Amino acid sequence: MTQTLEQQRAENAWQVSEKYDREHVNIAKGLPALIMNSGLMQVLAFAHEKGKKHEVVATDLRAWLVKRISNNKITDDPGFAQFMNVLMSAKPQDYQFINAEALAWLKWLRQMAAARKPEKGGE
């Protein structure tokens, strides 16, 4: 049985969010608005500069985007610098696709990560 793209996004978000704590969840919740206000490249640069938990979430996002761009041929994060070079050299329609895919995946990540780490109750 073949999964829909939405199912693939949900599954990936569920898997990566397993290692998240509440701070990761808060970062994931804030990224879509940051991307819409500042742009994907600026947000990836910000997360890389912040490091630690921001970089963990950004790495998971990059890994998902590379998987989608490569049609599942590449499943590992290529790293910040290499991915930024891909974005900087992308055709406008490809950049728009990557940006839209980032937002679509983050929609799932926000929900899955929050479901794994509810605000109330024990961890």
Side-chain angles (χ1 to χ4, degrees):
M1 184 169 106
T2 304
Q3 289 180 310
T4 67
L5 180 53
E6 287 296 308
Q7 288 172 314
Q8 292 171 35
R9 287 176 183 138
E11 180 180 41
N12 183 267
W14 180 256
Q15 288 171 349
V16 301
S17 67
E18 181 177 17
K19 65 184 178 280
Y20 287 6
D21 62 22
R22 284 200 176 93
E23 188 177 345
H24 292 101
V25 174
N26 290 336
I27 293 165
K29 285 182 176 182
L31 284 183
L34 285 174
I35 290 171
M36 289 189 293
N37 289 332
S38 301
L40 179 60
M41 286 193 289
Q42 291 90 336
V43 169
L44 289 174
F46 166 77
H48 182 71
E49 185 269 326
K50 289 281 279 184
K52 299 180 180 148
K53 294 180 182 183
H54 282 81
E55 182 65 12
V56 170
V57 177
T59 298
D60 291 336
L61 173 59
R62 285 193 313 262
W64 172 257
L65 292 173
V66 166
K67 184 177 174 179
R68 287 284 292 130
I69 294 167
S70 71
N71 291 322
N72 295 321
K73 293 180 185 123
I74 303 170
T75 56
D76 294 327
D77 171 37
F80 171 73
Q82 188 173 347
F83 192 74
M84 291 297 277
N85 284 327
V86 168
L87 292 177
M88 286 184 268
S89 64
K91 296 176 187 169
Q93 65 268 27
D94 293 337
Y95 184 82
Q96 288 175 338
F97 167 80
I98 295 166
N99 193 71
E101 185 58 38
L103 293 170
W105 182 80
L106 284 167
K107 185 171 82 171
W108 279 107
L109 183 66
R110 293 177 59 181
Q111 298 303 317
M112 295 303 194
R116 283 187 177 273
K117 296 290 179 192
E119 291 298 316
K120 295 180 174 68
E123 288 196 33

